[in-house]
Amino acid sequence: MDVKRIKENIKNMFCDDNFGFEVYIFMKDKSLKHFLFSDKKKNNDNKIFEESTQDMIVNTLKNKFCNENISYIDAINVSDDQQGCYVVEQNEKYAPFKFLDEYLTDDILKTNFKVNQVSEAKGIFFKFRRNDDVLWAYQKIWSVSIPNRSKKNKLFRQNADDEFEELDNQMFAITPTVNLLIIDDYILTDKINFLERYFDFEFYIRAHANEAVSHIKSANIICETRENILNTYIKSSSKSRAKRMMKINQFGVINLSSKKLKEQIKNSEKWKNVFTFTNKDQISLGKYEDINNLIDLLTERFTSSPITGDTFDTKVKTLVKN
């Protein structure tokens, strides 16, 4: 995850006003309908609808994703429950927005959104383009943002003669909110549960957890005394176990040989009495508590002070390179 490059790409998109801007409505059938702006009326700031909308979303993107104080967190660490912007890399395991590639060129035939399709609208995609670089911002359309959805109330507007006219059509509000940002192969969000609820992020979690389990088994450092207990562990209806499991590939502990790992454990005040071993120096896994301890070991969750010998719980860990 190249955080510096991601931030630079966002900043470069908005370094001046010479970028393209389009809006599409995301439909329930996963198609995009072009949102055609009128340029016949200006607001109190002397801006047309498209320009004021663009300014509003750009301001949100700059404040939310270009802030120097924001932390960018690899989504593989979602179990840490950190505050910041999670970064999800789209790949063969999880790519909910690859369909947007179809809309990268200007040659695609655009179908305009109609007001009578509002009940089929799920969200709004704001497309920004500078040369060959494209950035997509997504805003969900909430039911509460569609006034008078049941058509039981009367909506109206005032015309040039100070008369009030009834509005027959129900539309949604476009707000400054940006729930997701898609840039290159990355999805950025500060609400990972939003991805879980609306874009099947569970597939990402399960796939990476399965990969971690395969890594553990191939490393030959464990023995499952209860058949397939690792697979059963991550298949729990609660995703919390799978979230914890998928972190292990980031750390070097799993690359130790079983003999070396046993030696290190036996020399550790924290771990020496935690595990039982087979006669092949493998860690015995017979219950879920064994797996919880194994994950803590492999992710080096606990750190000992070289000065006092005290052990600290460090869920969030960054490797410091000498």
Side-chain angles (χ1 to χ4, degrees):
M1 182 181 71
D2 191 340
V3 171
K4 184 178 180 181
R5 184 170 67 86
I6 292 172
K7 284 187 175 182
E8 285 179 351
N9 286 350
I10 298 172
K11 289 180 179 179
N12 290 340
M13 178 63 70
F14 305 120
C15 63
D16 56 38
D17 295 331
N18 296 320
F19 56 84
F21 176 70
E22 288 184 291
V23 175
Y24 291 88
I25 307 304
F26 182 46
M27 309 300 289
K28 290 181 179 179
D29 64 0
K30 295 190 176 181
S31 65
L32 296 187
K33 303 290 185 183
H34 186 239
F35 190 87
L36 188 62
F37 286 97
S38 169
D39 61 359
K40 295 182 175 63
K41 183 180 177 181
K42 294 186 177 182
N43 62 15
N44 294 334
D45 295 323
N46 201 34
K47 294 182 178 180
I48 59 174
F49 185 18
E50 181 177 14
E51 187 179 6
S52 63
T53 301
Q54 172 186 296
D55 290 350
M56 177 177 68
I57 299 301
V58 168
N59 187 57
T60 296
L61 294 176
K62 287 181 177 179
N63 290 334
K64 189 169 186 174
F65 297 101
C66 296
N67 190 322
E68 292 299 327
N69 296 321
I70 191 171
S71 297
Y72 277 69
I73 308 156
D74 192 324
I76 207 77
N77 296 310
V78 66
S79 65
D80 293 340
D81 195 26
Q82 300 178 55
Q83 296 298 311
C85 179
Y86 284 94
V87 181
V88 182
E89 185 173 5
Q90 296 192 94
N91 52 34
E92 68 280 358
K93 298 185 186 72
Y94 179 71
F97 300 110
K98 289 302 288 184
F99 71 92
L100 292 175
D101 291 350
E102 301 174 21
Y103 298 86
L104 291 179
T105 68
D106 295 328
D107 299 330
I108 189 170
L109 182 63
K110 298 173 185 176
T111 304
N112 289 334
F113 176 73
K114 306 291 185 184
V115 70
N116 61 5
Q117 298 173 311
V118 68
S119 63
E120 296 299 309
K122 292 179 63 175
I124 310 167
F125 276 106
F126 304 96
K127 178 185 177 184
F128 298 90
R129 183 180 196 125
R130 181 182 291 274
N131 300 321
D132 293 330
D133 296 324
V134 175
L135 179 155
W136 298 88
Y138 179 77
Q139 177 183 127
K140 179 171 173 55
I141 298 173
W142 303 98
S143 58
V144 294
S145 69
I146 304 177
N148 200 29
R149 188 168 191 150
S150 62
K151 301 185 180 180
K152 292 180 179 179
N153 304 315
K154 295 292 183 181
L155 297 181
F156 52 84
R157 68 178 178 183
Q158 192 172 36
N159 62 24
D161 298 321
D162 290 340
E163 299 169 333
F164 291 97
E165 302 172 342
E166 182 178 355
L167 294 177
D168 295 324
N169 296 317
Q170 283 68 50
M171 281 300 292
F172 48 81
I174 299 178
T175 73
T177 303
V178 172
N179 304 115
L180 303 169
L181 186 65
I182 300 100
I183 181 167
D184 299 328
D185 288 325
Y186 296 103
I187 306 165
L188 280 63
T189 182
D190 61 347
K191 297 288 189 297
I192 201 71
N193 59 341
F194 183 86
L195 270 183
E196 287 190 44
R197 185 171 182 181
Y198 298 107
F199 292 99
D200 299 321
F201 186 64
E202 183 173 348
F203 286 114
Y204 176 96
I205 297 169
R206 302 291 185 191
H208 281 80
N210 277 313
E211 184 179 62
V213 165
S214 297
H215 195 175
I216 292 173
K217 290 183 177 183
S218 65
N220 203 33
I221 60 173
I222 59 95
C223 176
E224 294 176 285
T225 57
R226 178 175 151 193
E227 187 177 1
N228 285 326
I229 188 173
L230 283 170
N231 295 89
T232 305
Y233 178 91
I234 63 172
K235 288 179 180 177
S236 167
S237 57
S238 171
K239 296 184 288 291
S240 59
R241 290 173 179 166
K243 287 178 179 179
R244 291 188 66 219
M245 180 65 74
M246 66 179 184
K247 293 177 56 178
I248 67 157
N249 290 331
Q250 302 176 89
F251 299 91
V253 181
I254 197 171
N255 297 319
L256 296 176
S257 68
S258 58
K259 185 176 181 179
K260 180 67 174 177
L261 182 58
K262 180 181 179 180
E263 179 184 320
Q264 296 284 38
I265 290 172
K266 292 300 183 182
N267 290 330
S268 166
E269 289 298 319
K270 166 64 186 172
W271 296 111
K272 65 181 181 181
N273 297 317
V274 173
F275 299 104
T276 58
F277 291 85
T278 69
N279 55 12
K280 294 182 179 180
D281 295 329
Q282 295 173 316
I283 295 173
S284 178
L285 300 180
K287 52 186 184 294
Y288 286 167
E289 183 183 357
D290 296 332
I291 300 177
N292 289 333
N293 289 330
L294 178 69
I295 293 172
D296 287 342
L297 173 71
L298 295 181
T299 56
E300 300 185 285
R301 176 173 171 177
F302 296 97
T303 299
S304 297
S305 166
I307 307 299
T308 65
D310 293 335
T311 300
F312 300 91
D313 184 343
T314 55
K315 280 177 61 179
V316 181
K317 187 186 299 289
T318 302
L319 179 66
V320 179
K321 297 180 179 179
N322 294 325

